[in-house]
Amino acid sequence: MERREFIKKSAAASALSLGMGQLCSCSAPKDKLRILVLGGTYFVGPSIVNAALRHKHSVTLFNRGITNPNLFSTLQLIKGDREAGIAAYDPLKKEQWDVVIDVWPEKSRLVDEATKALKNHTKHYIFVSSIAVYDNFEQIGLNEEYDLVSIELEKNEWGYPEEKLVAESLVRERFADNHTILRGGPIKGWRDPALDLLYWFIKLGRDDAIIAPGSGIDHLQFIDVKDIGRFAIMASENRLSGSYNCTGPKKEPLFWKEFLELSKEHLNSQTQLIWASEDFLTINEVAPFTELPLWTPLSEDAFMQISNNKLLQTGFEFTPLHQTIDDCVKWFKRTMDSDIKFGNSTINIGMERSKELRLLNLLERQS
């Protein structure tokens, strides 16, 4: 699966998050902020709301009141449907906000209408974007100044990257000196229904031998949804302006061998990791990202080596990896069939077990 298509599906598939995270390194300000969250009850939105509430800010939600309507029942809700056009924002114009936080995943038109309607009603605008806006992922350590995708295509040909980029441009245009753009990588954690990161924890929980991808020194990046929420509030409190790559899960690079061994230890798994080289996987037609979720071989691109230096320079600290693992596993046990099967017409992510067993036998004969 292409990288941008993965990010799009990951963003679209994600659902509620109520996870708790550690507080950001900065202390909460004395002044309570009035924060308007556009949405707030899906996946990223709740992590933002929870972070704001932990810092004692005043939060108002703007949504249709349909998705998880009981999630934040004690908060002020102003009902409105963004799909209905710019008039939907009229009820918001009666108030002034310190910060508006927009997690809209697609359709730059809706961001156009929101920024236009709220331009004179907020001091700061925060938009959750994506690393999909970058032109390509060939450069190691790609930073916020790197080339972005072209929008020379006809508007009806725009995809997820173009829509996100145009939305970013509108935010920058209308809030030139008072905006923050969070370019998230794969966002994972509590209530994440996407089975990419979770695939590995499920497999490790079964104590069966599994194929581990590549040499073990391929890179892996993702960020806990709680960290997106905490950084959005940190940016609100400190009026951080500009674009920030938001990817982790830690300051230092994370490699597959470290990730799988740490996960195995934390889950008390007896699973045997059988490492398969990139050449072996290519010859046997094993697809990166789909059959081996989130794995990008070093030879392919640097998608998993995005620079997060600018984020780290703010003093931000990531949620410990073991907490993300726990959140993913707890949500899986709460909502999904423990005997879930991968690589089929229903769940097309992950490797079908009979194929994996065949390849494991091949690897054993070659050793």
Side-chain angles (χ1 to χ4, degrees):
M1 183 185 297
E2 292 185 359
R3 307 294 175 262
R4 294 192 182 94
E5 183 66 14
F6 156 75
I7 299 172
K8 174 182 177 180
K9 289 187 176 181
S10 180
S14 297
L16 278 171
S17 173
L18 289 171
M20 297 296 287
Q22 57 183 180
L23 296 178
C24 68
S25 57
C26 59
S27 59
K30 294 180 180 179
D31 296 331
K32 182 166 70 172
L33 299 177
R34 298 195 70 228
I35 299 176
L36 173 67
V37 178
L38 305 182
T41 58
Y42 193 49
F43 174 42
V44 175
S47 73
I48 293 170
V49 173
N50 283 323
L53 294 178
R54 285 195 296 274
H55 278 212
K56 310 301 182 184
H57 297 304
S58 172
V59 179
T60 298
L61 304 179
F62 174 71
N63 58 56
R64 298 172 301 166
I66 296 175
T67 302
N68 304 300
N70 299 318
L71 183 55
F72 295 113
S73 58
T74 62
L75 297 183
Q76 180 186 19
L77 168 64
I78 300 176
K79 288 189 177 182
D81 184 354
R82 297 184 71 172
E83 296 275 10
I86 195 168
Y89 300 92
D90 286 349
L92 302 178
K93 295 180 180 179
K94 301 174 183 178
E95 313 237 16
Q96 292 291 322
W97 316 95
D98 293 304
V99 186
V100 170
I101 303 179
D102 189 348
V103 299
W104 186 255
E106 293 186 72
K107 296 184 183 178
S108 57
R109 173 183 63 83
L110 275 65
V111 179
D112 182 16
E113 293 167 350
T115 53
K116 188 180 297 181
L118 299 174
K119 187 176 186 304
N120 297 318
H121 296 274
T122 185
K123 300 173 184 175
H124 195 89
Y125 201 98
I126 295 179
F127 178 64
V128 180
S129 186
S130 167
I131 60 172
V133 299
Y134 291 115
D135 184 43
N136 63 64
F137 301 100
E138 296 175 1
Q139 177 176 312
I140 294 174
L142 183 154
N143 63 36
E144 290 82 357
E145 304 305 316
Y146 192 68
D147 293 340
L148 305 177
V149 295
S150 169
I151 53 173
E152 293 180 357
L153 294 172
E154 292 295 326
K155 194 170 184 178
N156 60 3
E157 297 180 44
W158 287 355
Y160 180 76
E162 291 82 10
E163 293 284 0
K164 277 292 193 184
L165 180 57
V166 171
E168 282 191 10
S169 301
L170 291 164
V171 172
R172 280 191 293 270
E173 175 187 338
R174 291 174 180 149
F175 297 89
D177 300 317
N178 52 343
H179 72 271
T180 314
I181 292 169
L182 282 59
R183 290 179 179 158
I187 302 174
K188 304 286 101 189
W190 179 250
R191 292 203 170 201
D192 178 11
L195 291 170
D196 39 38
L197 186 66
L198 188 55
Y199 170 85
W200 298 102
F201 306 144
I202 295 171
K203 298 282 280 187
L204 289 172
R206 292 174 177 172
D207 293 334
D208 297 322
I210 64 170
I211 288 179
S215 62
I217 61 170
D218 298 315
H219 292 249
L220 174 62
Q221 284 187 325
F222 55 88
I223 189 166
D224 194 301
V225 67
K226 297 188 298 293
D227 291 344
I228 292 290
R230 291 190 302 111
F231 184 65
I233 300 308
M234 183 179 182
S236 301
E237 294 170 348
N238 294 277
R239 292 292 187 263
L240 300 179
S241 191
S243 300
Y244 292 82
N245 289 340
C246 294
T247 189
K250 60 194 188 82
K251 296 179 181 179
E252 306 80 11
L254 177 65
F255 302 98
W256 271 91
K257 183 176 177 61
E258 176 191 2
F259 165 68
L260 287 178
E261 289 185 347
L262 186 153
S263 300
K264 180 179 172 180
E265 179 181 3
H266 184 68
L267 295 170
N268 195 27
S269 168
Q270 303 305 308
T271 294
Q272 184 180 6
L273 302 174
I274 309 298
W275 292 91
S277 70
E278 180 183 345
D279 287 343
F280 175 88
L281 295 170
T282 300
I283 291 170
N284 287 280
E285 300 181 335
V286 177
F289 253 73
T290 49
E291 289 185 289
L292 293 170
L294 293 179
W295 175 60
T296 304
L298 281 173
S299 66
E300 189 166 322
D301 60 34
F303 179 73
M304 291 292 184
Q305 298 180 70
I306 306 296
S307 171
N308 58 12
N309 286 339
K310 187 176 179 182
L311 174 67
L312 295 177
Q313 287 170 6
T314 68
F316 187 80
E317 296 183 1
F318 294 106
T319 294
L321 180 55
H322 69 267
Q323 290 186 16
T324 306
I325 296 173
D326 287 342
D327 282 349
C328 289
V329 172
K330 287 175 183 177
W331 180 244
F332 166 66
K333 291 180 177 179
R334 176 173 170 176
T335 62
M336 300 181 194
D337 182 357
S338 61
D339 194 35
I340 188 171
K341 292 179 172 58
F342 297 100
N344 53 60
S345 58
T346 303
I347 300 174
N348 59 12
I349 196 168
M351 192 183 306
E352 199 273 326
R353 184 58 178 168
S354 64
K355 178 177 180 177
E356 185 174 28
L357 289 172
R358 177 174 61 81
L359 297 182
L360 287 169
N361 287 331
L362 279 176
L363 288 166
E364 183 178 3
R365 291 202 296 268
Q366 291 178 9
S367 61

